[in-house]
Amino acid sequence: MSGGYNEIHPEPTTFWSKYIFSFDHKVIAKQFLWYGIFFLGLGGLMALLIRWTLANPGVPVPVLGNLIFSGSGGVVPPDTYAMLFTMHGTIMIFYAITPILIGAFGNYCIPLMIGARDMAFPLLNMLSFWFAFLSGVVLLISLVIPQGAAAGGWTSYPTLSTLIGSPGAGQTLWCLAIFIFGISSTMGAVNYVTTVITLRAPGMGYFDMPLTVWGLWLTAILNAIFVPVLGAGVILLILDRVFGTTFFLAGASATSGSGDPVLFQHVFWIFGHPEVYILILPAWGIVSDLLSFFSRKPAFGAKATALSMTSISVLSTVVYGHHMFTTQMSPLLTQSFMTLTMTISIPSAIFFANWLGTIWKGSIRFDSPMLFSLGVVFVFGLGGLTGLHLGTTTTDLFLHDTYFVVGHFHYTMAASVLLGGFAGIYFWFPKMFGRMMNEGLAKLHFWGTMIPLNGIFFGMLLVGYGGMHRRIYNPFIYESLQRLIPVNNLITTSAILMGFFQLVFVYNFIKSLMSGEKAANNPWEVGTLEWTIPSPPPHHNYDIIPVVKCGPHELGNPNLKTGRDFQYQTEELVEA
Amino acid sequence: MSTRGRSELQINLATNIVIISMAMLFATLFMGYAIYRSSAPVWPPMGVQRVSLFLPSLSTVVLFISSFFCYQVSVSTKKNELSKGHKYLNLTILFGLGFMVLQGLLWNQMKSSGLFVSSGIFASITYAFTWIHFAHMIAGLVALLYLKKILRSETKNLMTKTTSVENFWYFLEIVWIIMFITLFVF
């Protein structure tokens, strides 16, 4: 492949074209990063309010209580509690994880790591961000309207989400926001898939791509196929709420045929299960790369890792029924879904073993990106193992809708993605902004996150196993659950602690942005393409499109004569 | 790969991904329809009249003619007869608009025969599916107008862009035919 189509676009000159409506993938990535961090903070604040209510039912929230809930004397009212957990889930999944992992890293890493000058469709890329922005604005508006935000859970099951269950515009705006966000995701996906297929540097085969790009690419494919499924679902929900159709209203009028609330659950999870992997695949990719980079060893079985991520993506499309074991599904179906779900553990075990194989006997450098990556290995291991209990029909029937589920999906989707995201931020920050982050504060942030994080989510597994239901405002009105108050206190204390340590991150981020130590071209000493160019990269990324001659993980080769322990992807492979 | 080949591939890939995405949206709708219909004891539900076939059939014919003209656009473009292509494109747009007018008439007819949006699942499906298809028709028209704009002058990858827009138009045609058969005929 020649670099022909990779023409150099003229550099923008005005403030608007440079920072606001920029076509440059690096600027769009940063826009997504700010956007994601803003919503991460908002969603985190909501999580703290939820936790406060669960540990201290009926006690006014300190500091914030009188500001937000002045009507109830500072206590979170029950209906607001439902809105809080709904919006916490929605914001974290669609407005924090998706923009940071897919929007920011996808935009930043894909062109740089495959040696391209920009995305295939820069205009579409810009529109993708501004659609996401519009969607975020719609969602924020829904928080402040008279009857409040959506309160049907992030899954928005009817009848909770129909006009009967949640009157007011909140739920409608929620649907609208998700639909607009879906358009944004699809635009991004079109770009990512096309870019990876057509703009790889000459010499770069698919298996020469860093695993980060593999993860983002698979994510984009899943996005393009399954986000429209949810799109269809929320359109029908909007029609039900605004125009009076009866898609999800059961027994609305027996003589003219009735709708089916469970259908929405099917539609939601046909989208929802691939969505789980949409969120986690980029983090897997990043971690697979970082473990190799900081162990100074080639990634163990990199090809197998890429292929197992691919087969997980394929399998993820046929297992959605395990979310619905309790919906009177035929036992034949539950057994099939259970078996298919269990098969996912085979590719998962393959790449998990590859991770361990990568760090085995490596000369590990415990820099902050590596610490966070190792954190992902640990929490994803726990999350994955607890998934087996929920994928098995017999145990799921008992654990369904308990805090065990909450603990499980937070370990997999929240904890590992969050840690993976932080690993990525610490790793690419020097490239993005040309400055190093403070390593001491980064390590403090890691331990301050990792320890309370396990307090929170392991605590959730415990209280869930103890029988605590997911969505009850005050579980302790049930005498049998009162013994769980101490564990709930532990969870809440951990959550507050973890929230506090995120301030360390924010401080470090802003401080380093302003006055961090200037970063060299290649501070981590790794060989992928983005580290061959200055930090931060020039507007057109590469003066000359690089020619790729070897894979991304050529580290620790004893035959290297260059005085380095790694080789760049642009160098001829030295046989080990 | 040559520069030209690459940008053609990019356009084709992008169009196909967009079509796959929209196909998934409609596939979801049809899946829901299949479930409603197979779980209903009788279809259409008791007390509901089928929609008269006249307007939907006419719509099908009109949209088919539109697609036929659309095909002629790329035939002419391939032979580099741009003014002829332009004429066919105008006819495509005209018949496309005709289809949309017929849809309006269809909704009017359904309303006057007492089938309102809120009168149960049969009406919900008929209205919602045709509305959603109509919304995509608007997007299709915008694409045709874009083609009209670039057909005037020498444009890079004109042929690829023409076939991309055409494929999108055919896609809308196919979705309509499936809707015609499943919603109105059977």
Side-chain angles (χ1 to χ4, degrees), chain B residues 94-149:
Chain B
L94 188 71
F95 277 83
L97 285 172
F99 172 82
M100 290 164 91
V101 172
L102 284 172
Q103 293 282 289
L105 293 177
L106 175 69
W107 296 327
N108 222 1
Q109 189 205 42
M110 278 158 64
K111 210 166 78 181
S112 54
S113 68
L115 194 66
F116 297 105
V117 182
S118 54
S119 30
I121 191 66
F122 181 80
S124 300
I125 288 171
T126 318
Y127 276 105
F129 285 24
T130 44
W131 282 348
I132 294 170
H133 182 256
F134 190 86
H136 285 81
M137 288 294 288
I138 296 175
L141 271 184
V142 171
L144 288 177
L145 289 175
Y146 166 74
L147 187 59
K148 198 170 149 70
K149 189 179 146 231

Side-chain angles (χ1 to χ4, degrees), chain A residues 1-2 4-5 120-121 186 190 193-194 198-199 224-225 228-229 232 235 239 243-247 255-257 260 263 270, chain B residues 3 6-7 9-10 13-14 17 21 24-25 28-29 31-32 35-36 45-46 117-121 124-125 128 131-132:
Chain A
M1 279 192 196
S2 74
Y5 194 66
F121 306 105
T186 313
V190 167
V193 176
T194 314
T198 60
L199 290 182
I225 301 177
V229 175
I235 289 180
L239 293 178
F243 295 95
T245 55
T246 56
F247 287 106
T255 48
S256 56
D260 184 1
L263 178 70
I270 289 175
Chain B
T3 304
R6 182 182 313 217
S7 58
L9 179 62
Q10 285 179 340
L13 273 171
I17 296 167
S21 287
M24 283 304 286
L25 189 139
T28 311
L29 296 180
M31 181 199 78
I35 288 170
Y36 289 128
M46 273 207 290
V117 182
S118 54
S119 30
I121 191 66
S124 300
I125 288 171
W131 282 348
I132 294 170

